[in-house]
Amino acid sequence: MEIQPELAEDFEQLDEYTWEFTLREDVTFTDGTPFNAESVQATLERVLDEETASPKNFMYEMIDEIEIVDDYTVQIITEFPFAPLAANLAHDGGGMISAQAIEEEANGERNLDLEPVGTGPFMLENWDQGNEVVLTRNEDYWGELTYLDTATYSVVPEQSTRIGQLETGEAHVIDDIEPINMSQIENLENADVSTVESLRLDYIGMNNEVEPFDDPDVRRAVAMAVDKSTIVQGIYEGYGSEAIGPLNPLVFGYSEGLTPLEYNPEEAQELLDAAGYEDGFDASLLVDESNPLSIQMAEIVQDQLSEFNINISLDQQEWSSLLDNSANGQHDMVVLGWTTVTGDADYGMYSLYHTDEHGASGNRTFYSNSEVDDLLDEARYEEDDDRRVELYAEAQQIIIDDAPKIFTVHDEFRVGISNEVEGFIQLPNGVYDISGAYLTDGDDASY
C-alpha cells in the first residue's frame, strides 16, 4: 500500500502546484516508439480532452499544464494544490499510451479501445469480444521478461462451469467465486482457494433527493434497521468484514475512532415514528441481475425492512442500465460498491460524497453537505498527511451520521487457483499480476 516508482524513476513536489517526474530512459511502447516526456504529455492531454470523454477525467481535471523539461523530465502543474496526484497517476486511468498511437487514433487510423499500445510485460495478441483475450510476452519489455509465453483470459459466465474447468485443468485460475462455493474448491485435489483483503466497500445507496430518503432521520432509521452481521456471516461466510463508514480500513485516511450507526431496531422505529412514517413506506431497490451476492444482500435487506412495514420491491436490471439509471437519479435505492483503487481517501470520498460529483462520476446517492464539501476540498489541498487524516476523520463521521448509504461489507477478492501455478499475485485493487507467474509439474517448471 505504498506508491512505488515504475515508469517514473523518481518524482518530487517542487511547490504547492508543481510536480516533477524523472522518467525511465529504457522503455519502449509495444508499437516500437520510445516512452518519453512527449508520451506523458500526450496521454494526459488525451484524458483531459473533453472530446475524448474519458470517464476518468475527474481524476486529472486539476491538472492545468503538462510541461516537457527535456526528453525524460516532465512537470505537471495543477490548478490548485492536490496532495494525492501521485496516487491518481498510479491508477490505470493514467496509464501511459504511445504519442504516435494517440495521433493515429486522432487521424482515424487506430481504435485504441480495441488496439491498445502500452509499456507492460504483455501485449495484445487477439481479442474475441465476449469470449476471450489472448496476451503474448512483450519481448522488448524494459523489466524482466515474463515466464509465460501467452496468457488467455476466457469469459465463462457460469460459476459451476468455471469450477469444472479448474478441476479438469482446462483453467489455471478462476475468479469471482461466491463464498458458498469456496469449500468446493478447497476440496479439489489439484487446486485451492486464494483470497486477499480488498480496497472495496459494498453499500446500499439511498437517493437523498427523493422522498422519504430526503429526510436524514429516515435514512438513519433504515441504516439502523438492517442487521449487517446477518449479511456478512450469511452471505460472505467470513470472507469479508462489516463496514461502518465510507472508507475501507486499508485506505489512507481511514479512521479507527468513528462512531457507527449500529443495528438498533427500537431506535429505528422511534426515528420513523418521529419522521411521520410510523406505518412504513414503499420503495424500490435497484440490483444487478447478474450478481448473485448483490441479489442475496437485497433480499436480506428487503426481509429485515419488512419488519418496519417498509416494503421494498427489488428491481433487477442489466448492469449498464442500472448504472445509467442510478447516474440519472432514477432510483430510490441501489446496491453498488466502490473499490478505492488509488489507496487514497480522496478517490474514495470526493467522488462519492462531494456535491460537485452528483451522478455518473460517483455520487449516485445525490448526497450534499456543505461542511463535508469544505472538508474534502481542504483535504485534497493539504500537504501534511497527519492533517489530511484529521480532515477525513471529521468528514467520515458526518457522512456516517447523515446516512446517505447503508455501509454493508468490505468484501475479499476470491479466486480458485491450480496447484501448478506459482507467482500469481492478487492485488487489493482487484488487479491480477501475472508478470512473475509460471506453471510447475512436480519438480519441472514450464514457461
Side-chain angles (χ1 to χ4, degrees):
M1 294 307 301
E2 294 182 4
I3 294 173
Q4 300 295 315
E6 195 164 31
L7 292 180
E9 288 188 330
D10 192 18
F11 65 91
E12 62 175 324
Q13 189 171 2
L14 302 181
D15 57 46
E16 283 188 322
Y17 304 92
T18 308
W19 298 66
E20 185 169 275
F21 296 82
T22 303
L23 311 180
R24 294 189 65 94
E25 299 184 17
D26 57 348
V27 180
T28 57
F29 288 98
T30 53
D31 64 356
T33 60
F35 166 73
N36 52 28
E38 181 189 3
S39 53
V40 174
Q41 184 184 60
T43 296
L44 294 178
E45 287 181 348
R46 177 177 180 269
V47 173
L48 292 168
D49 189 343
E50 290 184 2
E51 291 189 10
T52 305
S54 169
K56 305 301 180 187
N57 175 281
F58 74 94
M59 297 183 64
Y60 307 101
E61 60 188 0
M62 73 295 299
I63 295 176
D64 194 41
E65 184 179 355
I66 304 103
E67 185 176 303
I68 296 175
V69 179
D70 57 45
D71 284 351
Y72 295 99
T73 308
V74 64
Q75 289 184 356
I76 296 178
I77 297 95
T78 58
E79 180 184 350
F80 49 82
F82 185 68
L85 179 67
N88 282 18
L89 288 171
H91 185 276
D92 57 15
M96 292 294 113
I97 304 173
S98 154
Q100 177 176 294
I102 291 173
E103 184 177 353
E104 290 171 355
E105 180 187 50
N107 295 334
E109 300 168 359
R110 177 188 290 272
N111 183 341
L112 281 171
D113 289 335
L114 304 178
E115 304 169 280
V117 178
T119 61
F122 289 94
M123 52 197 301
L124 180 64
E125 174 71 19
N126 184 57
W127 184 3
D128 180 5
Q129 292 188 57
N131 293 311
E132 69 175 18
V133 172
V134 180
L135 308 178
T136 57
R137 180 194 293 126
N138 179 5
E139 300 290 351
D140 296 320
Y141 181 56
W142 59 269
E144 292 187 15
L145 296 185
T146 63
Y147 296 118
L148 300 174
D149 297 314
T150 66
T152 300
Y153 290 76
S154 298
V155 179
V156 183
E158 290 296 327
Q159 187 168 167
S160 59
T161 304
R162 297 199 298 275
I163 294 173
Q165 289 178 331
L166 181 65
E167 184 174 15
T168 61
E170 184 179 351
H172 294 104
V173 179
I174 61 173
D175 72 353
D176 201 20
I177 305 302
E178 292 180 48
I180 195 172
N181 291 323
M182 292 288 276
S183 60
Q184 184 178 347
I185 297 173
E186 288 174 329
N187 291 329
L188 295 180
E189 292 184 1
N190 64 326
D192 206 345
V193 297
S194 174
T195 65
V196 64
E197 286 184 274
S198 78
L199 292 163
R200 185 170 176 80
L201 165 68
D202 286 279
Y203 64 85
I204 297 175
M206 294 172 274
N207 188 338
N208 291 198
E209 292 187 341
V210 302
E211 294 183 354
F213 301 115
D214 56 346
D215 184 337
D217 278 338
V218 172
R219 300 196 302 266
R220 292 184 193 105
V222 170
M224 288 190 285
V226 174
D227 183 1
K228 292 183 286 188
S229 64
T230 304
I231 295 171
V232 174
Q233 297 303 320
I235 299 176
Y236 292 88
E237 299 186 5
Y239 292 102
S241 58
E242 185 174 322
I244 65 168
L247 280 184
N248 184 295
L250 296 181
V251 174
F252 169 82
Y254 174 82
S255 177
E256 295 283 355
L258 301 173
T259 302
L261 290 177
E262 296 182 337
Y263 175 58
N264 190 327
E266 292 80 13
E267 187 173 347
Q269 187 62 62
E270 290 174 5
L271 286 170
L272 289 172
D273 293 347
Y277 292 97
E278 60 274 4
D279 295 325
F281 57 85
D282 298 340
S284 64
L285 174 58
L286 300 189
V287 60
D288 177 10
E289 64 182 10
S290 65
N291 189 323
L293 294 182
S294 292
I295 293 171
Q296 292 171 48
M297 182 188 299
E299 289 172 343
I300 288 177
V301 170
Q302 180 187 46
D303 180 62
Q304 292 185 350
L305 293 182
S306 69
E307 299 294 325
F308 299 82
N309 293 316
I310 300 174
N311 303 308
I312 302 296
S313 59
L314 303 188
D315 185 0
Q316 297 187 35
Q317 297 187 358
E318 187 268 331
W319 179 239
S320 60
S321 297
L322 182 148
L323 290 179
D324 288 342
N325 288 328
S326 59
N328 294 324
Q330 297 174 341
H331 65 293
D332 296 330
M333 305 172 74
V334 60
V335 181
L336 282 171
W338 186 269
T339 302
T340 306
V341 290
T342 66
D344 189 281
D346 180 77
Y347 184 78
M349 294 187 69
Y350 192 90
S351 301
L352 275 70
Y353 303 100
H354 198 284
T355 302
D356 290 347
E357 302 301 321
H358 282 183
S361 58
N363 190 346
R364 295 169 187 264
T365 60
F366 295 84
Y367 170 73
S368 291
N369 183 306
S370 59
E371 187 176 1
V372 169
D373 290 347
D374 291 343
L375 289 166
L376 297 182
D377 286 336
E378 185 179 349
R380 60 181 1 201
Y381 304 156
E382 177 61 56
E383 294 181 57
D384 182 78
D385 282 350
D386 291 338
R387 177 57 182 156
R388 290 189 73 210
V389 170
E390 292 174 1
L391 292 166
Y392 284 126
E394 189 174 348
Q396 287 171 77
Q397 188 61 63
I398 295 171
I399 292 168
I400 290 171
D401 294 340
D402 283 346
K405 303 173 178 177
I406 306 169
F407 304 105
T408 55
V409 64
H410 301 298
D411 195 5
E412 294 183 1
F413 292 139
R414 298 169 297 274
V415 301
I417 184 167
S418 166
N419 293 337
E420 295 181 354
V421 177
E422 298 289 344
F424 174 87
I425 297 174
Q426 288 190 84
L427 298 175
N429 62 0
V431 171
Y432 300 149
D433 182 355
I434 60 170
S435 59
Y438 59 94
L439 303 179
T440 63
D441 183 13
D443 295 329
D444 299 323
S446 60
Y447 307 134

